[in-house]
Amino acid sequence: MTSLKSYPRFTLGATLTAEQQAFFRQHGFLHFRAFASPEQVQELLRATEAVQQQWLAEGVQKVNGVPIKYGKDVDGAPIVQRFAFASHYSPVLADFLEDARFRALFPLLEAPGGRVGINEKDGLVINHYVNVPGSEFSQMGWHTDSLRDVFYGKRIGPMLNVGFHLDGTPATNGGLRLIPGTHQQPLREMLFRKKYYKDVGPDPHEIAVETEPGDLTVHDGRMWHRVAQSPLVGEVSRRRVMYVPIVAGKYQPKHENSPTPFYLRFLHLVK
């Protein structure tokens, strides 16, 4: 596994620098430090907890056809471990996605019509990983985000997966792993290099993305990545990340009558 120190961490401004664009073209990802302040991080955490309490009280099972994943916290209390379209339920989360710096990422799509997919794919997803008995979400096996296009017989469209990290995650506590350069792989490699979600072990070419609270990461949807399980147990294993897609092409919003996407019917297998 390659150390964090082997790749640069950038600062995201109103526009991308030539260095940042060149790095993304070659490696397929970028890591930005301190996208948000500690105060903003705490505000966002409070917002996610408010949405969680609403969904627990109302027994929400799906949002726009996307299943909600529930599990247990360190004290055995029920929690939401995978949210979808969370910004639809919180003005704080919705305002966060209006930050002009997200638009600075649009050129990475290399396609016209770039936008933050607040109503598309799964909208704003919040993943809450914790390694305790009763948790239903402590890791996620190898996958690419572009497979969903293949499932539906579509041409693979341009997509960025943008992650905002609410907790610090050193490599020793699991977290995001990427295989740099795989955004340029042929279709066969994207389909068969790994067993989707079933393969969870390390890859000799992976890198560990070690984050601090408030960091932003972005990776190409065609890139192989996973979320490693924390070897720690309990509160110290907690990792919360918000993901939103940046997409281009035909506008394809979801709505309350949208069917459950085929690939999400296997969400219960991800633990």
Side-chain angles (χ1 to χ4, degrees), residues 29 64 74 79 100 122 188 195 206 264:
F29 77 100
N64 293 343
V74 295
I79 57 172
D122 299 347
R188 180 178 176 83
K195 294 179 181 177
E206 73 179 23
L264 285 176

Side-chain angles (χ1 to χ4, degrees), residues 194-208:
K194 304 281 187 183
K195 294 179 181 177
Y196 272 76
Y197 299 110
K198 289 186 177 181
D199 286 345
V200 298
D203 185 282
H205 302 291
E206 73 179 23
I207 65 166

Side-chain angles (χ1 to χ4, degrees), residues 115-132:
R115 59 191 179 272
V116 179
I118 57 175
N119 300 314
E120 299 174 84
K121 308 291 187 182
D122 299 347
L124 179 65
V125 170
I126 304 171
N127 290 336
H128 187 165
Y129 300 96
V130 61
N131 190 17
V132 293

Side-chain angles (χ1 to χ4, degrees), residues 73-75 128-132 167 173 230 232-240:
D73 207 345
V74 295
D75 60 357
H128 187 165
Y129 300 96
V130 61
N131 190 17
V132 293
D167 293 291
N173 196 20
S230 174
L232 308 176
V233 177
E235 182 63 37
V236 290
S237 71
R238 191 184 308 280
R239 306 186 308 276
R240 291 159 291 189

